[in-house]
Amino acid sequence: MPETLFRRLTLIGIGLIGSSIARVARERSDIAGEIVIHDCSPAALTRARALELGDRYDADAAAAVAGADAVILCAPVGAFAAIAEEIAGHLAPDAILSDVGSTKQSVLRDVGPLVPAGVHFVPAHPLAGTEHSGPDAGFSALFEGRWCLLTPPPGTDRAAVGRMAELWRRTGAMVEEMDAVHHDRVLAIVSHLPHLIAFTICGTADDLADETRQEVLQFAATGFRDFTRIAASDPTMWRDVFLNNREALLEMLARFLEDAQAMARAVRWGDGGYIEDKVNRGRKIRRNLIELKQA
Ligand code: NAP
């Protein structure tokens, strides 16, 4: 059995992602000797206790991080600046401060300047999730076979990066390092834009006249259903993601709108070849995903 990575791991936010980390760390004794949990929601904290996700529960963030050698922020990214303010002065020297936020330049901007000297800042983003939220939604296999991207700022202690990478490998994830700017551009196209489209298309369907809206629900299986699953995601989390990856998301949206216009033109002028070509490209991307076991 490999050595336990951290003596005390504190999770700030015990929703889908935080509780999934807690569950893996509970199942495997080589991640953390002790798990401390903080959440600003008393209901989430009570639920975490009932589910026995941690060893200790603290309604005070500063007290929760004291003495921890690893702290992971698992709240929505819009809350990170306030959390960092609250905990910065209480982090142990040599501790690793990490997070799971879906946008990474914003984390460097909001948390980076508050990290005390001697604390190692290793931002991370597991590319795994579901449309559910809260402590009951997590499960220990969530990260298995999925990517976790680390975006440490230049000059970060390599041993600290290595320990965080090892934590994620022990959850079953595959780890890669990436620059935060690149991360945000990649995620804008593979995750943030698809969510924006899903939320928008559900709104469009909901705006339709009453009798059509009923049929949308009745016959949803024809394609709309897949959008509704994505659109069922947490509003706070997605509000924060969109507002904290504004530039990259708007750039990808502009490109998408141009391509959608080109498709509209092909439909209008009966350009069957163009339409077939786009569908074929979609099929090819799906086949590649299946081959890479990311489908
Ligand atoms: P979640 O299930 O909604 O859980 C977030 C928890 O954090 C909630 O209990 C929330 O309480 C709490 N919280 C909010 N503000 C806080 C604060 N200031 N201090 C302490 N706790 C706070 O969210 P999640 O899906 O686990 O997402 C957490 C993070 O993971 C986000 O940064 C998200 O971008 C990232 N992420 C999500 C996914 C995904 O698919 N869901 C995937 C990868 C990464 P309240 O409910 O009372 O606000």
Side-chain angles (χ1 to χ4, degrees):
M1 172 69 87
E3 208 179 307
T4 301
L5 267 175
F6 298 108
R7 214 172 9 79
R8 181 183 294 169
L9 168 68
T10 297
L11 300 170
I12 305 279
I14 196 71
L16 168 71
I17 304 294
S19 75
S20 295
I21 299 173
R23 283 175 169 94
V24 200
R26 271 270 180 254
E27 276 180 26
R28 306 179 50 128
S29 54
D30 60 353
I31 290 182
E34 187 189 12
I35 303 167
V36 180
I37 293 173
H38 162 79
D39 197 291
C40 71
S41 152
L45 214 49
T46 304
R47 195 60 199 138
R49 191 192 295 270
L51 293 165
E52 298 182 6
L53 296 177
D55 299 293
R56 202 152 63 70
Y57 308 86
D58 210 314
D60 181 59
V65 304
D69 46 355
V71 174
I72 307 182
L73 309 183
C74 306
V77 288
F80 281 9
I83 297 172
E85 290 253 15
E86 213 176 326
I87 63 172
H90 304 268
L91 292 164
D94 221 29
I96 298 178
L97 175 62
S98 186
D99 76 292
V100 295
S102 306
T103 58
K104 301 281 34 128
Q105 287 177 91
S106 74
V107 175
L108 292 181
R109 177 197 69 207
D110 293 347
V111 179
L114 298 166
V115 180
V119 170
H120 311 292
F121 183 35
V122 187
H125 179 202
L127 306 189
T130 71
E131 68 278 24
H132 304 296
S133 46
D136 284 283
F139 53 99
S140 61
L142 178 63
F143 310 113
E144 255 168 42
R146 312 306 299 274
W147 285 100
C148 180
L149 303 177
L150 302 186
T151 62
T156 308
D157 178 60
R158 293 311 302 171
V161 176
R163 287 176 80 200
M164 223 1 100
E166 184 56 23
L167 179 148
W168 284 105
R169 276 194 286 273
R170 290 186 191 183
T171 69
M174 305 173 289
V175 178
E176 195 159 296
E177 267 184 63
M178 202 179 263
D179 165 74
V181 175
H182 189 57
H183 167 280
D184 285 0
R185 281 176 62 77
V186 171
L187 266 291
I189 188 68
V190 301
S191 169
H192 307 166
L193 181 62
H195 276 83
L196 185 151
I197 293 169
F199 299 137
T200 308
I201 204 167
C202 286
T204 306
D206 200 42
D207 285 342
L208 293 173
D210 277 349
E211 78 279 16
T212 326
R213 188 188 299 139
Q214 180 51 37
E215 282 164 347
V216 165
L217 293 177
Q218 196 171 343
F219 305 123
T222 46
F224 184 65
R225 185 178 57 188
D226 292 343
F227 282 113
T228 64
R229 187 190 60 73
I230 300 177
S233 303
D234 186 71
T236 310
M237 175 191 149
W238 282 100
R239 176 202 66 197
D240 285 3
V241 170
F242 286 4
L243 296 181
N244 283 285
N245 195 18
R246 194 179 264 132
E247 276 175 34
L249 178 57
L250 289 177
E251 184 196 327
M252 296 305 168
L253 178 61
R255 290 178 73 140
F256 169 77
L257 291 175
E258 259 178 43
D259 292 343
Q261 282 297 346
M263 179 62 104
R265 198 178 157 76
V267 172
R268 178 176 307 280
W269 294 103
D271 186 348
Y274 183 93
I275 299 169
E276 258 185 72
D277 181 53
K278 288 291 172 210
V279 177
N280 273 323
R281 279 176 74 179
R283 283 162 63 105
K284 199 169 140 213
I285 289 174
R286 179 72 191 169
R287 272 200 306 276
N288 289 346
L289 268 188
I290 292 170
E291 279 163 21
L292 289 167
K293 296 195 171 33
Q294 295 297 309

